[in-house]
Amino acid sequence: MGLLTGLKASITRATDRLFSEEDPKRIGIYGPPNAGKTTLANRIARDWTGDAIGPESHVPHETRRARRKENVEIERNGKSVTIDVVDTPGVTTKVDYEEFLEFDMEEDDAVRRSREATEGVAEAMHWLREDVDGVIYVLDSTEDPFTQVNTMLVGIIESRDLPVLIFGNKIDLEESNIQRVTSAFPQHETVALSAKEGENMDEVYDKIAEYFG
Amino acid sequence: MPEATAPTDDGSGVQIDLISGERMEGLASMEKIRIILDGVHDGNIVILEEGLTPEEESRLIEVTMAEIDPDGFNGIEIETYPQNDARDRSLLGRIMGQEDTAKLTVIGPANQIETLHKDETLISALVSRK
């Protein structure tokens, strides 16, 4: 009897330990194409793990598959927060292969890229519905944030009660207008940054630790 | 419920389907999405009186992506009023019993509709023929 009681107690302790140690939260980096999502994902991954996540490009839909960097440990104020960073393809409601021809791409390559891009968008939406615990929504602060895709995506994120941070990227560019980004989604915290130049990354990491820790 | 009359597509105009909330009520999400995309594939502009839920919008994007074909259909243009739209707070809205989630939504083929202006109370779009 004593043996059984002891066994039960040790199993309870083991399962308690197993479930008290939370898995890292999966934080999806979302936004429209060319907002700088992969540049940000690479910046975060390089800063804390030394590795990049994926290739960056000025051609839209360079990221056509969601990519996850696991166990990114971010240290802030003596504490550490471990997250999985999920870089997702840019979300849109339309993909026209002719858009890629403007980037000196052969027609076959442009058609293939457009097919992969559509699959990537669908994959990003699936991740959003099923597999992320929080969202970093990246916007190009030189562009108009009042687009339908942004409105819908933020609405979908809110409907799922996911914690979300809005990142106004590309503040190193002259045309950047961070006030416009802030006013587009006043219900959410907005952080200004340049992922490419590494501007304001301290605040970026403070907010990631605060929201997703 | 009467069925919509068959379109007479002689290329001389653009068909606009204004779909009431009543017609969409009780339909499954995929049935709503099918009504929208079938209309858009035919080159029609679809106007929903009460729009879609965020979950349905998410699935609409996914299904649209699955149906994009480089040889023809290249996606949709969709516009709704921004959140907290003025209509929901209006007297007319309250009299009509519209819920806060109800939002007029315009959807059309991406190559035929272009949004010119959008704010809390106005959507202005340019529609071209196929």
Side-chain angles (χ1 to χ4, degrees):
Chain A
M1 190 69 176
L3 183 66
L4 275 178
T5 307
L7 185 62
K8 188 180 168 191
S10 70
I11 289 172
T12 304
R13 279 196 302 276
T15 51
D16 281 350
R17 271 202 304 276
L18 190 67
F19 292 109
S20 65
E21 205 163 302
E22 280 184 28
D23 288 334
K25 289 192 175 115
R26 283 189 292 253
I27 307 305
I29 300 182
Y30 278 83
N34 265 15
K37 296 178 294 300
T38 302
T39 307
L40 173 66
N42 283 341
R43 168 73 60 182
I44 296 171
R46 282 200 189 103
D47 280 354
W48 300 101
T49 71
D51 299 326
I53 289 186
E56 301 160 22
S57 166
H58 66 289
V59 183
H61 298 289
E62 179 66 22
T63 304
R64 301 185 293 282
R65 286 281 176 272
R67 296 191 189 96
R68 174 155 56 137
K69 184 74 179 172
E70 292 178 282
N71 296 315
V72 177
E73 192 175 340
I74 296 173
E75 290 177 13
R76 304 314 286 169
N77 305 319
K79 291 183 186 171
S80 80
V81 174
T82 305
I83 58 172
D84 287 357
V85 175
V86 185
D87 181 30
T88 69
V91 175
T92 180
T93 59
K94 55 192 173 189
V95 177
D96 185 350
Y97 82 91
E98 290 185 1
E99 189 186 343
F100 303 126
L101 298 177
E102 293 167 15
F103 294 91
D104 293 333
M105 212 174 276
E106 295 295 323
E107 186 164 331
D108 286 353
D109 291 336
V111 168
R112 187 172 60 247
R113 192 182 182 95
S114 74
R115 286 191 198 282
E116 290 172 358
T118 59
E119 291 166 9
V121 175
E123 191 178 312
M125 298 310 295
H126 191 84
W127 270 84
L128 185 57
R129 279 209 312 274
E130 310 279 342
D131 295 316
V132 295
D133 304 306
V135 173
I136 292 171
Y137 198 79
V138 182
L139 291 165
D140 177 344
S141 64
T142 70
E143 299 282 338
D144 179 10
F146 294 95
T147 67
Q148 186 60 27
V149 164
N150 292 337
T151 305
M152 282 199 301
L153 260 287
V154 172
I156 292 165
I157 293 161
E158 288 171 347
S159 75
R160 304 198 62 76
D161 285 330
L162 294 171
V164 57
L165 279 170
I166 308 285
F167 281 7
N169 194 21
K170 306 192 185 182
I171 58 168
D172 56 302
L173 300 180
E174 204 175 307
E175 318 87 87
S176 168
N177 184 345
I178 198 69
Q179 190 54 43
R180 197 168 47 173
V181 176
T182 306
S183 63
F185 302 102
Q187 70 275 36
H188 297 295
E189 182 103 34
T190 300
V191 183
L193 77 150
S194 166
K196 184 180 173 190
E197 302 299 331
E199 282 181 50
N200 204 31
M201 293 308 291
D202 274 339
E203 188 183 355
V204 164
Y205 296 131
D206 285 344
K207 292 296 176 189
I208 288 176
E210 181 185 336
Y211 272 68
F212 308 125
Chain B
M1 197 181 326
E3 289 301 312
T5 53
T8 52
D9 185 3
D10 59 2
S12 62
V14 175
Q15 181 176 326
I16 298 176
D17 294 336
L18 295 103
I19 304 179
S20 70
E22 184 188 3
R23 193 178 180 92
M24 295 296 249
E25 200 176 83
L27 293 182
S29 295
M30 275 311 297
E31 289 174 311
K32 293 181 189 176
I33 289 166
R34 211 53 275 158
I35 285 176
I36 294 164
L37 286 180
D38 285 350
V40 171
H41 275 297
D42 288 341
N44 304 339
I45 305 302
V46 178
I47 301 177
L48 307 178
E49 185 186 27
E50 292 191 0
L52 299 172
T53 65
E55 178 76 19
E56 288 165 347
E57 288 179 339
S58 165
R59 290 191 185 277
L60 175 64
I61 294 173
E62 243 185 284
V63 178
T64 299
M65 287 298 119
E67 296 187 1
I68 285 179
D69 173 6
D71 296 326
F73 180 60
N74 62 11
I76 60 171
E77 193 71 49
I78 175 168
E79 289 294 351
T80 61
Y81 298 113
Q83 289 175 321
N84 303 320
D85 72 61
R87 189 187 60 153
D88 288 338
R89 296 191 299 272
S90 71
L91 180 62
L92 179 64
R94 290 197 298 274
I95 291 170
M96 299 293 284
Q98 289 159 340
E99 294 177 9
D100 284 349
T101 52
K103 50 185 180 182
L104 188 113
T105 300
V106 183
I107 306 158
N111 59 357
Q112 280 178 256
I113 182 167
E114 181 190 348
T115 304
L116 300 177
H117 173 83
K118 183 174 82 163
D119 63 31
E120 287 81 0
T121 54
L122 174 70
I123 296 169
S124 179
L126 180 67
V127 178
S128 57
R129 275 178 271 174
K130 274 185 269 191

